[in-house]
PDB file of all heavy atoms in Angstrom:
ATOM      1  N   ALA A   1       5.700 -13.351  -4.468  1.00 97.00           N
ATOM      2  CA  ALA A   1       6.402 -13.131  -3.201  1.00 97.00           C
ATOM      3  C   ALA A   1       6.409 -11.654  -2.811  1.00 97.00           C
ATOM      4  O   ALA A   1       6.608 -11.318  -1.639  1.00 97.00           O
ATOM      5  CB  ALA A   1       7.838 -13.632  -3.308  1.00 97.00           C
ATOM      6  N   TYR A   2       6.161 -10.775  -3.780  1.00 98.00           N
ATOM      7  CA  TYR A   2       6.180  -9.337  -3.528  1.00 98.00           C
ATOM      8  C   TYR A   2       4.779  -8.719  -3.519  1.00 98.00           C
ATOM      9  O   TYR A   2       4.637  -7.493  -3.533  1.00 98.00           O
ATOM     10  CB  TYR A   2       7.063  -8.633  -4.561  1.00 98.00           C
ATOM     11  CG  TYR A   2       8.520  -8.988  -4.442  1.00 98.00           C
ATOM     12  CD1 TYR A   2       9.092  -9.943  -5.289  1.00 98.00           C
ATOM     13  CD2 TYR A   2       9.328  -8.409  -3.462  1.00 98.00           C
ATOM     14  CE1 TYR A   2      10.429 -10.290  -5.171  1.00 98.00           C
ATOM     15  CE2 TYR A   2      10.668  -8.745  -3.345  1.00 98.00           C
ATOM     16  CZ  TYR A   2      11.214  -9.688  -4.199  1.00 98.00           C
ATOM     17  OH  TYR A   2      12.540 -10.032  -4.066  1.00 98.00           O
ATOM     18  N   ASP A   3       3.749  -9.545  -3.508  1.00 98.00           N
ATOM     19  CA  ASP A   3       2.380  -9.023  -3.413  1.00 98.00           C
ATOM     20  C   ASP A   3       2.249  -8.123  -2.192  1.00 98.00           C
ATOM     21  O   ASP A   3       2.934  -8.307  -1.178  1.00 98.00           O
ATOM     22  CB  ASP A   3       1.373 -10.165  -3.282  1.00 98.00           C
ATOM     23  CG  ASP A   3       1.174 -10.946  -4.566  1.00 98.00           C
ATOM     24  OD1 ASP A   3       1.568 -10.447  -5.642  1.00 98.00           O
ATOM     25  OD2 ASP A   3       0.635 -12.061  -4.495  1.00 98.00           O
ATOM     26  N   TYR A   4       1.317  -7.176  -2.289  1.00 98.00           N
ATOM     27  CA  TYR A   4       1.058  -6.330  -1.122  1.00 98.00           C
ATOM     28  C   TYR A   4      -0.001  -6.996  -0.256  1.00 98.00           C
ATOM     29  O   TYR A   4      -1.100  -7.300  -0.724  1.00 98.00           O
ATOM     30  CB  TYR A   4       0.570  -4.936  -1.534  1.00 98.00           C
ATOM     31  CG  TYR A   4       0.308  -4.054  -0.324  1.00 98.00           C
ATOM     32  CD1 TYR A   4       1.360  -3.546   0.413  1.00 98.00           C
ATOM     33  CD2 TYR A   4      -0.992  -3.764   0.091  1.00 98.00           C
ATOM     34  CE1 TYR A   4       1.148  -2.763   1.533  1.00 98.00           C
ATOM     35  CE2 TYR A   4      -1.222  -2.981   1.205  1.00 98.00           C
ATOM     36  CZ  TYR A   4      -0.149  -2.478   1.921  1.00 98.00           C
ATOM     37  OH  TYR A   4      -0.366  -1.709   3.038  1.00 98.00           O
ATOM     38  N   ILE A   5       0.328  -7.215   1.012  1.00 98.00           N
ATOM     39  CA  ILE A   5      -0.622  -7.785   1.962  1.00 98.00           C
ATOM     40  C   ILE A   5      -0.968  -6.710   2.988  1.00 98.00           C
ATOM     41  O   ILE A   5      -0.078  -6.154   3.645  1.00 98.00           O
ATOM     42  CB  ILE A   5      -0.045  -9.034   2.652  1.00 98.00           C
ATOM     43  CG1 ILE A   5       0.270 -10.115   1.601  1.00 98.00           C
ATOM     44  CG2 ILE A   5      -1.029  -9.575   3.682  1.00 98.00           C
ATOM     45  CD1 ILE A   5       0.877 -11.374   2.175  1.00 98.00           C
ATOM     46  N   PHE A   6      -2.251  -6.407   3.094  1.00 98.00           N
ATOM     47  CA  PHE A   6      -2.693  -5.349   3.995  1.00 98.00           C
ATOM     48  C   PHE A   6      -2.333  -5.674   5.440  1.00 98.00           C
ATOM     49  O   PHE A   6      -2.536  -6.789   5.904  1.00 98.00           O
ATOM     50  CB  PHE A   6      -4.200  -5.166   3.889  1.00 98.00           C
ATOM     51  CG  PHE A   6      -4.634  -4.283   2.749  1.00 98.00           C
ATOM     52  CD1 PHE A   6      -4.583  -4.751   1.445  1.00 98.00           C
ATOM     53  CD2 PHE A   6      -5.106  -2.993   2.976  1.00 98.00           C
ATOM     54  CE1 PHE A   6      -4.985  -3.958   0.386  1.00 98.00           C
ATOM     55  CE2 PHE A   6      -5.507  -2.189   1.920  1.00 98.00           C
ATOM     56  CZ  PHE A   6      -5.452  -2.666   0.618  1.00 98.00           C
ATOM     57  N   PRO A   7      -1.829  -4.668   6.151  1.00 98.00           N
ATOM     58  CA  PRO A   7      -1.614  -4.839   7.595  1.00 98.00           C
ATOM     59  C   PRO A   7      -2.975  -4.765   8.299  1.00 98.00           C
ATOM     60  O   PRO A   7      -4.019  -4.725   7.638  1.00 98.00           O
ATOM     61  CB  PRO A   7      -0.742  -3.623   7.945  1.00 98.00           C
ATOM     62  CG  PRO A   7      -1.198  -2.573   6.969  1.00 98.00           C
ATOM     63  CD  PRO A   7      -1.485  -3.326   5.684  1.00 98.00           C
ATOM     64  N   SER A   8      -2.976  -4.714   9.621  1.00 98.00           N
ATOM     65  CA  SER A   8      -4.230  -4.529  10.351  1.00 98.00           C
ATOM     66  C   SER A   8      -4.843  -3.204   9.901  1.00 98.00           C
ATOM     67  O   SER A   8      -4.261  -2.124  10.116  1.00 98.00           O
ATOM     68  CB  SER A   8      -3.956  -4.508  11.856  1.00 98.00           C
ATOM     69  OG  SER A   8      -5.146  -4.278  12.570  1.00 98.00           O
ATOM     70  N   PHE A   9      -6.009  -3.284   9.242  1.00 98.00           N
ATOM     71  CA  PHE A   9      -6.556  -2.076   8.619  1.00 98.00           C
ATOM     72  C   PHE A   9      -8.064  -2.202   8.426  1.00 98.00           C
ATOM     73  O   PHE A   9      -8.557  -3.243   7.982  1.00 98.00           O
ATOM     74  CB  PHE A   9      -5.895  -1.848   7.246  1.00 98.00           C
ATOM     75  CG  PHE A   9      -6.302  -0.556   6.581  1.00 98.00           C
ATOM     76  CD1 PHE A   9      -5.736   0.637   6.980  1.00 98.00           C
ATOM     77  CD2 PHE A   9      -7.261  -0.544   5.575  1.00 98.00           C
ATOM     78  CE1 PHE A   9      -6.116   1.833   6.384  1.00 98.00           C
ATOM     79  CE2 PHE A   9      -7.638   0.633   4.978  1.00 98.00           C
ATOM     80  CZ  PHE A   9      -7.067   1.838   5.382  1.00 98.00           C
ATOM     81  N   ALA A  10      -8.798  -1.155   8.766  1.00 98.00           N
ATOM     82  CA  ALA A  10     -10.243  -1.106   8.568  1.00 98.00           C
ATOM     83  C   ALA A  10     -10.583   0.109   7.722  1.00 98.00           C
ATOM     84  O   ALA A  10     -10.045   1.201   7.944  1.00 98.00           O
ATOM     85  CB  ALA A  10     -10.969  -1.050   9.902  1.00 98.00           C
ATOM     86  N   LEU A  11     -11.465  -0.071   6.745  1.00 98.00           N
ATOM     87  CA  LEU A  11     -11.857   1.003   5.829  1.00 98.00           C
ATOM     88  C   LEU A  11     -13.335   1.308   6.037  1.00 98.00           C
ATOM     89  O   LEU A  11     -14.196   0.442   5.868  1.00 98.00           O
ATOM     90  CB  LEU A  11     -11.587   0.581   4.386  1.00 98.00           C
ATOM     91  CG  LEU A  11     -11.756   1.649   3.296  1.00 98.00           C
ATOM     92  CD1 LEU A  11     -10.812   2.830   3.545  1.00 98.00           C
ATOM     93  CD2 LEU A  11     -11.471   1.050   1.919  1.00 98.00           C
ATOM     94  N   ALA A  12     -13.617   2.551   6.405  1.00 97.00           N
ATOM     95  CA  ALA A  12     -14.995   2.953   6.685  1.00 97.00           C
ATOM     96  C   ALA A  12     -15.839   2.962   5.424  1.00 97.00           C
ATOM     97  O   ALA A  12     -15.320   3.078   4.302  1.00 97.00           O
ATOM     98  CB  ALA A  12     -15.009   4.336   7.335  1.00 97.00           C
ATOM     99  N   SER A  13     -17.134   2.860   5.591  1.00 96.00           N
ATOM    100  CA  SER A  13     -18.058   2.893   4.460  1.00 96.00           C
ATOM    101  C   SER A  13     -17.898   4.192   3.677  1.00 96.00           C
ATOM    102  O   SER A  13     -17.871   5.285   4.251  1.00 96.00           O
ATOM    103  CB  SER A  13     -19.498   2.790   4.976  1.00 96.00           C
ATOM    104  OG  SER A  13     -20.424   3.019   3.938  1.00 96.00           O
ATOM    105  N   GLY A  14     -17.731   4.066   2.354  1.00 96.00           N
ATOM    106  CA  GLY A  14     -17.588   5.231   1.489  1.00 96.00           C
ATOM    107  C   GLY A  14     -16.199   5.833   1.456  1.00 96.00           C
ATOM    108  O   GLY A  14     -15.931   6.748   0.674  1.00 96.00           O
ATOM    109  N   SER A  15     -15.299   5.338   2.294  1.00 98.00           N
ATOM    110  CA  SER A  15     -13.943   5.894   2.358  1.00 98.00           C
ATOM    111  C   SER A  15     -13.010   5.233   1.348  1.00 98.00           C
ATOM    112  O   SER A  15     -13.302   4.160   0.828  1.00 98.00           O
ATOM    113  CB  SER A  15     -13.370   5.722   3.767  1.00 98.00           C
ATOM    114  OG  SER A  15     -14.099   6.479   4.693  1.00 98.00           O
ATOM    115  N   LYS A  16     -11.894   5.905   1.106  1.00 98.00           N
ATOM    116  CA  LYS A  16     -10.895   5.409   0.171  1.00 98.00           C
ATOM    117  C   LYS A  16      -9.524   5.372   0.844  1.00 98.00           C
ATOM    118  O   LYS A  16      -9.241   6.174   1.732  1.00 98.00           O
ATOM    119  CB  LYS A  16     -10.828   6.313  -1.066  1.00 98.00           C
ATOM    120  CG  LYS A  16     -12.121   6.371  -1.859  1.00 98.00           C
ATOM    121  CD  LYS A  16     -12.028   7.351  -3.021  1.00 98.00           C
ATOM    122  CE  LYS A  16     -13.323   7.396  -3.824  1.00 98.00           C
ATOM    123  NZ  LYS A  16     -13.263   8.363  -4.943  1.00 98.00           N
ATOM    124  N   VAL A  17      -8.704   4.442   0.390  1.00 98.00           N
ATOM    125  CA  VAL A  17      -7.320   4.389   0.834  1.00 98.00           C
ATOM    126  C   VAL A  17      -6.449   4.260  -0.401  1.00 98.00           C
ATOM    127  O   VAL A  17      -6.792   3.560  -1.351  1.00 98.00           O
ATOM    128  CB  VAL A  17      -7.074   3.216   1.811  1.00 98.00           C
ATOM    129  CG1 VAL A  17      -7.347   1.862   1.162  1.00 98.00           C
ATOM    130  CG2 VAL A  17      -5.651   3.263   2.360  1.00 98.00           C
ATOM    131  N   VAL A  18      -5.337   4.985  -0.416  1.00 98.00           N
ATOM    132  CA  VAL A  18      -4.407   4.958  -1.543  1.00 98.00           C
ATOM    133  C   VAL A  18      -3.191   4.129  -1.149  1.00 98.00           C
ATOM    134  O   VAL A  18      -2.532   4.416  -0.139  1.00 98.00           O
ATOM    135  CB  VAL A  18      -3.965   6.384  -1.929  1.00 98.00           C
ATOM    136  CG1 VAL A  18      -2.946   6.334  -3.071  1.00 98.00           C
ATOM    137  CG2 VAL A  18      -5.177   7.222  -2.348  1.00 98.00           C
ATOM    138  N   VAL A  19      -2.928   3.081  -1.933  1.00 98.00           N
ATOM    139  CA  VAL A  19      -1.761   2.238  -1.699  1.00 98.00           C
ATOM    140  C   VAL A  19      -0.652   2.717  -2.634  1.00 98.00           C
ATOM    141  O   VAL A  19      -0.771   2.623  -3.857  1.00 98.00           O
ATOM    142  CB  VAL A  19      -2.082   0.754  -1.959  1.00 98.00           C
ATOM    143  CG1 VAL A  19      -0.844  -0.107  -1.723  1.00 98.00           C
ATOM    144  CG2 VAL A  19      -3.228   0.281  -1.066  1.00 98.00           C
ATOM    145  N   HIS A  20       0.409   3.251  -2.061  1.00 98.00           N
ATOM    146  CA  HIS A  20       1.520   3.821  -2.828  1.00 98.00           C
ATOM    147  C   HIS A  20       2.532   2.722  -3.161  1.00 98.00           C
ATOM    148  O   HIS A  20       3.109   2.103  -2.270  1.00 98.00           O
ATOM    149  CB  HIS A  20       2.185   4.936  -2.025  1.00 98.00           C
ATOM    150  CG  HIS A  20       1.253   6.064  -1.680  1.00 98.00           C
ATOM    151  ND1 HIS A  20       1.092   7.159  -2.483  1.00 98.00           N
ATOM    152  CD2 HIS A  20       0.411   6.223  -0.615  1.00 98.00           C
ATOM    153  CE1 HIS A  20       0.202   7.987  -1.937  1.00 98.00           C
ATOM    154  NE2 HIS A  20      -0.230   7.433  -0.805  1.00 98.00           N
ATOM    155  N   VAL A  21       2.740   2.505  -4.447  1.00 98.00           N
ATOM    156  CA  VAL A  21       3.579   1.407  -4.930  1.00 98.00           C
ATOM    157  C   VAL A  21       5.049   1.821  -4.968  1.00 98.00           C
ATOM    158  O   VAL A  21       5.395   2.891  -5.462  1.00 98.00           O
ATOM    159  CB  VAL A  21       3.122   0.959  -6.334  1.00 98.00           C
ATOM    160  CG1 VAL A  21       3.959  -0.215  -6.836  1.00 98.00           C
ATOM    161  CG2 VAL A  21       1.636   0.585  -6.312  1.00 98.00           C
ATOM    162  N   ARG A  22       5.899   0.964  -4.420  1.00 98.00           N
ATOM    163  CA  ARG A  22       7.347   1.199  -4.368  1.00 98.00           C
ATOM    164  C   ARG A  22       7.649   2.538  -3.713  1.00 98.00           C
ATOM    165  O   ARG A  22       8.483   3.325  -4.186  1.00 98.00           O
ATOM    166  CB  ARG A  22       7.987   1.117  -5.751  1.00 98.00           C
ATOM    167  CG  ARG A  22       7.968  -0.277  -6.359  1.00 98.00           C
ATOM    168  CD  ARG A  22       8.805  -0.347  -7.634  1.00 98.00           C
ATOM    169  NE  ARG A  22      10.227  -0.314  -7.319  1.00 98.00           N
ATOM    170  CZ  ARG A  22      11.203  -0.293  -8.243  1.00 98.00           C
ATOM    171  NH1 ARG A  22      10.868  -0.323  -9.525  1.00 98.00           N
ATOM    172  NH2 ARG A  22      12.462  -0.271  -7.897  1.00 98.00           N
ATOM    173  N   SER A  23       6.965   2.776  -2.617  1.00 98.00           N
ATOM    174  CA  SER A  23       7.117   4.041  -1.904  1.00 98.00           C
ATOM    175  C   SER A  23       7.151   3.765  -0.404  1.00 98.00           C
ATOM    176  O   SER A  23       6.558   2.803   0.079  1.00 98.00           O
ATOM    177  CB  SER A  23       5.954   4.978  -2.241  1.00 98.00           C
ATOM    178  OG  SER A  23       6.099   6.228  -1.603  1.00 98.00           O
ATOM    179  N   VAL A  24       7.842   4.632   0.331  1.00 97.00           N
ATOM    180  CA  VAL A  24       7.999   4.473   1.768  1.00 97.00           C
ATOM    181  C   VAL A  24       7.335   5.648   2.480  1.00 97.00           C
ATOM    182  O   VAL A  24       7.477   6.797   2.067  1.00 97.00           O
ATOM    183  CB  VAL A  24       9.486   4.393   2.163  1.00 97.00           C
ATOM    184  CG1 VAL A  24       9.635   4.297   3.681  1.00 97.00           C
ATOM    185  CG2 VAL A  24      10.148   3.190   1.493  1.00 97.00           C
ATOM    186  N   GLY A  25       6.595   5.347   3.532  1.00 98.00           N
ATOM    187  CA  GLY A  25       5.957   6.400   4.302  1.00 98.00           C
ATOM    188  C   GLY A  25       5.284   5.822   5.531  1.00 98.00           C
ATOM    189  O   GLY A  25       5.366   4.617   5.799  1.00 98.00           O
ATOM    190  N   ALA A  26       4.607   6.670   6.277  1.00 98.00           N
ATOM    191  CA  ALA A  26       3.901   6.240   7.480  1.00 98.00           C
ATOM    192  C   ALA A  26       2.464   5.879   7.111  1.00 98.00           C
ATOM    193  O   ALA A  26       1.723   6.713   6.593  1.00 98.00           O
ATOM    194  CB  ALA A  26       3.925   7.355   8.523  1.00 98.00           C
ATOM    195  N   ASN A  27       2.086   4.645   7.371  1.00 98.00           N
ATOM    196  CA  ASN A  27       0.724   4.213   7.086  1.00 98.00           C
ATOM    197  C   ASN A  27      -0.283   5.022   7.900  1.00 98.00           C
ATOM    198  O   ASN A  27      -0.021   5.380   9.053  1.00 98.00           O
ATOM    199  CB  ASN A  27       0.544   2.728   7.406  1.00 98.00           C
ATOM    200  CG  ASN A  27       1.255   1.820   6.425  1.00 98.00           C
ATOM    201  OD1 ASN A  27       1.592   2.219   5.320  1.00 98.00           O
ATOM    202  ND2 ASN A  27       1.488   0.581   6.832  1.00 98.00           N
ATOM    203  N   SER A  28      -1.429   5.297   7.286  1.00 98.00           N
ATOM    204  CA  SER A  28      -2.482   6.038   7.961  1.00 98.00           C
ATOM    205  C   SER A  28      -3.832   5.516   7.489  1.00 98.00           C
ATOM    206  O   SER A  28      -3.908   4.556   6.709  1.00 98.00           O
ATOM    207  CB  SER A  28      -2.363   7.539   7.657  1.00 98.00           C
ATOM    208  OG  SER A  28      -2.672   7.799   6.294  1.00 98.00           O
ATOM    209  N   ALA A  29      -4.908   6.148   7.905  1.00 98.00           N
ATOM    210  CA  ALA A  29      -6.255   5.734   7.513  1.00 98.00           C
ATOM    211  C   ALA A  29      -6.516   5.996   6.031  1.00 98.00           C
ATOM    212  O   ALA A  29      -7.424   5.401   5.446  1.00 98.00           O
ATOM    213  CB  ALA A  29      -7.296   6.461   8.356  1.00 98.00           C
ATOM    214  N   THR A  30      -5.720   6.870   5.422  1.00 98.00           N
ATOM    215  CA  THR A  30      -5.939   7.244   4.021  1.00 98.00           C
ATOM    216  C   THR A  30      -4.814   6.819   3.083  1.00 98.00           C
ATOM    217  O   THR A  30      -4.999   6.823   1.862  1.00 98.00           O
ATOM    218  CB  THR A  30      -6.115   8.764   3.895  1.00 98.00           C
ATOM    219  OG1 THR A  30      -4.966   9.427   4.456  1.00 98.00           O
ATOM    220  CG2 THR A  30      -7.365   9.231   4.633  1.00 98.00           C
ATOM    221  N   ASP A  31      -3.666   6.466   3.631  1.00 98.00           N
ATOM    222  CA  ASP A  31      -2.508   6.123   2.802  1.00 98.00           C
ATOM    223  C   ASP A  31      -1.750   4.935   3.381  1.00 98.00           C
ATOM    224  O   ASP A  31      -1.443   4.904   4.579  1.00 98.00           O
ATOM    225  CB  ASP A  31      -1.555   7.320   2.696  1.00 98.00           C
ATOM    226  CG  ASP A  31      -2.186   8.508   1.996  1.00 98.00           C
ATOM    227  OD1 ASP A  31      -2.112   8.579   0.750  1.00 98.00           O
ATOM    228  OD2 ASP A  31      -2.772   9.357   2.697  1.00 98.00           O
ATOM    229  N   LEU A  32      -1.468   3.979   2.492  1.00 98.00           N
ATOM    230  CA  LEU A  32      -0.665   2.819   2.862  1.00 98.00           C
ATOM    231  C   LEU A  32       0.521   2.736   1.897  1.00 98.00           C
ATOM    232  O   LEU A  32       0.416   3.162   0.736  1.00 98.00           O
ATOM    233  CB  LEU A  32      -1.495   1.542   2.789  1.00 98.00           C
ATOM    234  CG  LEU A  32      -2.670   1.431   3.771  1.00 98.00           C
ATOM    235  CD1 LEU A  32      -3.509   0.194   3.452  1.00 98.00           C
ATOM    236  CD2 LEU A  32      -2.183   1.387   5.211  1.00 98.00           C
ATOM    237  N   TYR A  33       1.628   2.158   2.369  1.00 98.00           N
ATOM    238  CA  TYR A  33       2.849   2.149   1.562  1.00 98.00           C
ATOM    239  C   TYR A  33       3.350   0.727   1.312  1.00 98.00           C
ATOM    240  O   TYR A  33       3.416  -0.094   2.213  1.00 98.00           O
ATOM    241  CB  TYR A  33       3.920   3.006   2.249  1.00 98.00           C
ATOM    242  CG  TYR A  33       3.525   4.467   2.261  1.00 98.00           C
ATOM    243  CD1 TYR A  33       2.707   4.968   3.273  1.00 98.00           C
ATOM    244  CD2 TYR A  33       3.908   5.317   1.237  1.00 98.00           C
ATOM    245  CE1 TYR A  33       2.300   6.292   3.273  1.00 98.00           C
ATOM    246  CE2 TYR A  33       3.509   6.646   1.225  1.00 98.00           C
ATOM    247  CZ  TYR A  33       2.701   7.130   2.241  1.00 98.00           C
ATOM    248  OH  TYR A  33       2.280   8.444   2.216  1.00 98.00           O
ATOM    249  N   TRP A  34       3.681   0.507   0.054  1.00 98.00           N
ATOM    250  CA  TRP A  34       4.118  -0.798  -0.454  1.00 98.00           C
ATOM    251  C   TRP A  34       5.560  -0.624  -0.919  1.00 98.00           C
ATOM    252  O   TRP A  34       5.807  -0.313  -2.081  1.00 98.00           O
ATOM    253  CB  TRP A  34       3.189  -1.179  -1.601  1.00 98.00           C
ATOM    254  CG  TRP A  34       3.383  -2.505  -2.260  1.00 98.00           C
ATOM    255  CD1 TRP A  34       4.332  -3.451  -2.031  1.00 98.00           C
ATOM    256  CD2 TRP A  34       2.555  -3.024  -3.313  1.00 98.00           C
ATOM    257  NE1 TRP A  34       4.158  -4.521  -2.864  1.00 98.00           N
ATOM    258  CE2 TRP A  34       3.068  -4.289  -3.663  1.00 98.00           C
ATOM    259  CE3 TRP A  34       1.450  -2.538  -4.004  1.00 98.00           C
ATOM    260  CZ2 TRP A  34       2.508  -5.064  -4.682  1.00 98.00           C
ATOM    261  CZ3 TRP A  34       0.890  -3.312  -5.003  1.00 98.00           C
ATOM    262  CH2 TRP A  34       1.414  -4.571  -5.330  1.00 98.00           C
ATOM    263  N   PRO A  35       6.529  -0.771  -0.035  1.00 97.00           N
ATOM    264  CA  PRO A  35       7.905  -0.392  -0.366  1.00 97.00           C
ATOM    265  C   PRO A  35       8.639  -1.297  -1.343  1.00 97.00           C
ATOM    266  O   PRO A  35       9.509  -0.841  -2.081  1.00 97.00           O
ATOM    267  CB  PRO A  35       8.600  -0.390   0.995  1.00 97.00           C
ATOM    268  CG  PRO A  35       7.809  -1.362   1.814  1.00 97.00           C
ATOM    269  CD  PRO A  35       6.391  -1.214   1.357  1.00 97.00           C
ATOM    270  N   ASP A  36       8.305  -2.582  -1.357  1.00 96.00           N
ATOM    271  CA  ASP A  36       9.113  -3.521  -2.138  1.00 96.00           C
ATOM    272  C   ASP A  36       8.253  -4.360  -3.077  1.00 96.00           C
ATOM    273  O   ASP A  36       7.401  -5.125  -2.647  1.00 96.00           O
ATOM    274  CB  ASP A  36       9.886  -4.435  -1.191  1.00 96.00           C
ATOM    275  CG  ASP A  36      10.914  -5.300  -1.907  1.00 96.00           C
ATOM    276  OD1 ASP A  36      11.106  -5.106  -3.129  1.00 96.00           O
ATOM    277  OD2 ASP A  36      11.513  -6.165  -1.249  1.00 96.00           O
ATOM    278  N   THR A  37       8.480  -4.204  -4.371  1.00 97.00           N
ATOM    279  CA  THR A  37       7.783  -5.022  -5.376  1.00 97.00           C
ATOM    280  C   THR A  37       8.766  -5.872  -6.167  1.00 97.00           C
ATOM    281  O   THR A  37       8.450  -6.363  -7.249  1.00 97.00           O
ATOM    282  CB  THR A  37       6.996  -4.130  -6.361  1.00 97.00           C
ATOM    283  OG1 THR A  37       7.932  -3.311  -7.091  1.00 97.00           O
ATOM    284  CG2 THR A  37       5.991  -3.249  -5.643  1.00 97.00           C
ATOM    285  N   GLY A  38       9.971  -6.009  -5.643  1.00 96.00           N
ATOM    286  CA  GLY A  38      10.988  -6.735  -6.394  1.00 96.00           C
ATOM    287  C   GLY A  38      11.451  -5.950  -7.599  1.00 96.00           C
ATOM    288  O   GLY A  38      11.781  -6.519  -8.650  1.00 96.00           O
ATOM    289  N   SER A  39      11.467  -4.615  -7.454  1.00 96.00           N
ATOM    290  CA  SER A  39      11.916  -3.701  -8.520  1.00 96.00           C
ATOM    291  C   SER A  39      11.023  -3.732  -9.751  1.00 96.00           C
ATOM    292  O   SER A  39      11.470  -3.438 -10.865  1.00 96.00           O
ATOM    293  CB  SER A  39      13.369  -3.995  -8.920  1.00 96.00           C
ATOM    294  OG  SER A  39      14.235  -3.887  -7.802  1.00 96.00           O
ATOM    295  N   VAL A  40       9.761  -4.073  -9.575  1.00 97.00           N
ATOM    296  CA  VAL A  40       8.810  -4.130 -10.697  1.00 97.00           C
ATOM    297  C   VAL A  40       7.771  -3.022 -10.548  1.00 97.00           C
ATOM    298  O   VAL A  40       7.209  -2.824  -9.465  1.00 97.00           O
ATOM    299  CB  VAL A  40       8.088  -5.497 -10.740  1.00 97.00           C
ATOM    300  CG1 VAL A  40       7.051  -5.521 -11.855  1.00 97.00           C
ATOM    301  CG2 VAL A  40       9.098  -6.611 -10.943  1.00 97.00           C
ATOM    302  N   ASN A  41       7.541  -2.276 -11.646  1.00 98.00           N
ATOM    303  CA  ASN A  41       6.497  -1.260 -11.675  1.00 98.00           C
ATOM    304  C   ASN A  41       5.299  -1.779 -12.455  1.00 98.00           C
ATOM    305  O   ASN A  41       5.397  -2.760 -13.190  1.00 98.00           O
ATOM    306  CB  ASN A  41       7.010   0.031 -12.321  1.00 98.00           C
ATOM    307  CG  ASN A  41       8.076   0.722 -11.489  1.00 98.00           C
ATOM    308  OD1 ASN A  41       7.974   0.779 -10.258  1.00 98.00           O
ATOM    309  ND2 ASN A  41       9.101   1.239 -12.146  1.00 98.00           N
ATOM    310  N   MET A  42       4.174  -1.090 -12.339  1.00 98.00           N
ATOM    311  CA  MET A  42       3.013  -1.448 -13.140  1.00 98.00           C
ATOM    312  C   MET A  42       3.269  -1.111 -14.604  1.00 98.00           C
ATOM    313  O   MET A  42       4.041  -0.194 -14.920  1.00 98.00           O
ATOM    314  CB  MET A  42       1.765  -0.697 -12.630  1.00 98.00           C
ATOM    315  CG  MET A  42       1.263  -1.204 -11.298  1.00 98.00           C
ATOM    316  SD  MET A  42      -0.340  -0.496 -10.808  1.00 98.00           S
ATOM    317  CE  MET A  42       0.180   1.127 -10.250  1.00 98.00           C
TER     318      MET A  42
END
């Protein structure tokens, strides 16, 4: 129930995006934020 599901997002060839776990911020072309994991860390 706490899986991260990508919002509307396109990744260019050769590009990278960093998904920040249990973190809040403004999504961008290079950084996405996954605020809620049900209090579970990796």
